[in-house]
Amino acid sequence: MASTSHLILPTAVRAEFSRRREGPLFFPATIRNLPSPRRLLPHPLRASPPTLAAASTSSSLQALIFDCDGVILESEHLHRQAYNEAFAHFSVRCSVSSPKPLYWGSDFYDELQNRIGGGKPKMRWYFKENGWPSSSIYAQPPLTDSDRETLIDVIQDWKTERYKEIIKSGAVEPRPGVLGLMDDAKGAGIKVAVCSAATKSSVVLCLENLLGLERFHGLDCFLAGDDVKEKKPSPLIYLTASEKLGVSGGNCLVVEDSVIGLQAATGAGMPCIVTYTSSTASQDFKEAIATYSDLRNVRLQDLELLLQKSLLAT
């Protein structure tokens, strides 16, 4: 039986114990029901000091926000394919002397998509720089703003439907580590969102097919290019997400793949990590708090520590 020499006993119990100490050792019910000595007198060294991660989890990382194209799936080559097929379908020619439809090569498209976010802004910029095209939509290059917007809308709509067909083919998979990181965040009570500059219908299709319906409908916020008036690098989409999530920018962590997305995130006051692709690897990501080739070995605890260090540095 355990020794009682270190017990701190109430006065009445101590008297009872003294009265009976000449006889056989006896513990009244009062003593038997006392907490153990360890619980009465906790040793100051027994309490483990809180770790950095434990101290920061509840106060720092409250929302994890993912871009779609380039982050959830490596999709830019698929978008380029769909654009080129749309240009061929509508016989889009920026020069009347050119016998072939417009074609965006991979090197040019990498530069274009890293400079301008969103499909319609890409075409609008390109046609302003290279001349508005003739096409099966308008035999002559459109002259009015209204006709030019109609041209872009028709091409974009066809391109979007073609892109959907590519995604539906089942040949596209999410980038490594994305689904696990989303699941870990949700399991830890951290909000998860997706903010993409792409057309909403194409993003919905991507997310339903790559995340699965349960993850997609479990998102705490989902915004696409149709939901905001300004595309990335404008911070508007992330500012809107912050409002919808009810989380301040400093407690959000954005996952992007390009300098355009990085600029949008930092412009909204949100720390950002970059998971670059082959088409964005050479960009300057000095404003990111970390860069990765993919997310397969990135843990939620790593991101919590990165965010806390970022907040301490500001």
Side-chain angles (χ1 to χ4, degrees):
M1 182 172 292
S3 170
T4 62
S5 60
H6 296 293
L7 285 172
I8 297 178
L9 304 178
T11 302
V13 176
R14 192 163 56 247
E16 174 69 11
F17 183 79
S18 298
R19 186 175 64 83
R20 295 173 178 263
R21 67 181 183 274
E22 299 302 328
L25 191 60
F26 170 77
F27 286 92
T30 310
I31 298 177
R32 291 199 302 270
N33 293 332
L34 283 174
S36 68
R38 180 176 296 178
R39 293 176 61 188
L40 279 170
L41 296 171
H43 194 286
L45 297 180
R46 294 190 186 279
S48 300
T51 63
L52 183 62
S56 65
T57 299
S58 61
S59 60
S60 298
L61 182 56
Q62 297 177 22
L64 192 57
I65 307 177
F66 294 82
D67 181 29
C68 183
D69 292 327
V71 172
I72 295 176
L73 73 159
E74 196 161 353
S75 58
E76 294 306 331
H77 66 290
L78 304 178
H79 283 291
R80 185 177 72 87
Q81 174 187 337
Y83 274 118
N84 286 331
E85 291 185 21
F87 297 150
H89 178 79
F90 291 110
S91 300
V92 176
R93 293 178 172 84
C94 286
S95 172
V96 292
S97 61
S98 175
K100 295 183 179 180
L102 174 62
Y103 181 88
W104 284 343
S106 58
D107 290 343
F108 171 77
Y109 189 77
D110 285 348
E111 180 181 347
L112 179 63
Q113 66 98 6
N114 291 330
R115 180 186 301 179
I116 300 172
K120 291 181 181 181
K122 283 182 175 67
M123 284 191 287
R124 195 175 293 116
W125 176 88
Y126 184 88
F127 295 148
K128 285 181 179 179
E129 293 290 316
N130 297 277
W132 288 87
S134 61
S135 64
S136 60
I137 304 166
Y138 292 107
Q140 299 298 320
L143 299 176
T144 67
D145 289 342
S146 176
D147 287 346
R148 288 172 175 176
E149 288 306 306
T150 298
L151 172 72
I152 288 175
D153 288 345
V154 171
I155 296 174
Q156 183 68 27
D157 288 347
W158 194 95
K159 175 263 175 186
T160 298
E161 292 305 312
R162 176 62 187 128
Y163 181 74
K164 289 179 181 179
E165 292 175 359
I166 297 172
I167 297 298
K168 287 179 181 177
S169 69
V172 182
E173 295 183 352
R175 291 191 69 191
V178 172
L179 301 187
L181 198 55
M182 284 186 169
D183 291 345
D184 289 346
K186 291 293 284 187
I190 295 168
K191 295 181 178 181
V192 175
V194 173
C195 292
S196 171
T199 305
K200 191 162 196 170
S201 58
S202 66
V203 182
V204 168
L205 183 75
C206 286
L207 298 182
E208 287 180 344
N209 280 270
L210 297 177
L211 302 187
L213 292 178
E214 183 175 354
R215 282 193 192 89
F216 174 58
H217 292 298
L219 292 174
D220 296 286
C221 177
F222 164 58
L223 294 172
D226 314 53
D227 296 315
V228 291
K229 293 181 179 179
E230 299 173 5
K231 308 291 187 182
K232 301 173 186 178
S234 165
L236 184 57
I237 195 167
Y238 287 124
L239 292 171
T240 304
S242 175
E243 183 179 352
K244 288 184 175 294
L245 290 167
V247 177
S248 64
N251 295 112
C252 297
L253 182 62
V254 175
V255 186
E256 276 283 359
D257 71 302
S258 70
V259 70
I260 287 178
L262 174 60
Q263 291 169 351
T266 55
M270 296 181 179
C272 180
I273 66 167
V274 169
T275 170
Y276 54 83
T277 66
S278 58
S279 64
T280 64
S282 62
Q283 293 182 10
D284 183 0
F285 297 126
K286 65 177 180 293
E287 297 300 321
I289 62 174
T291 59
Y292 304 97
S293 57
D294 60 50
L295 300 175
R296 75 180 75 213
N297 294 318
V298 179
R299 304 173 304 163
L300 187 62
Q301 296 92 325
D302 300 329
L303 301 185
E304 291 168 344
L305 291 173
L306 282 169
L307 183 58
Q308 189 193 41
K309 290 177 182 178
S310 173
L311 293 176
L312 291 174
T314 56

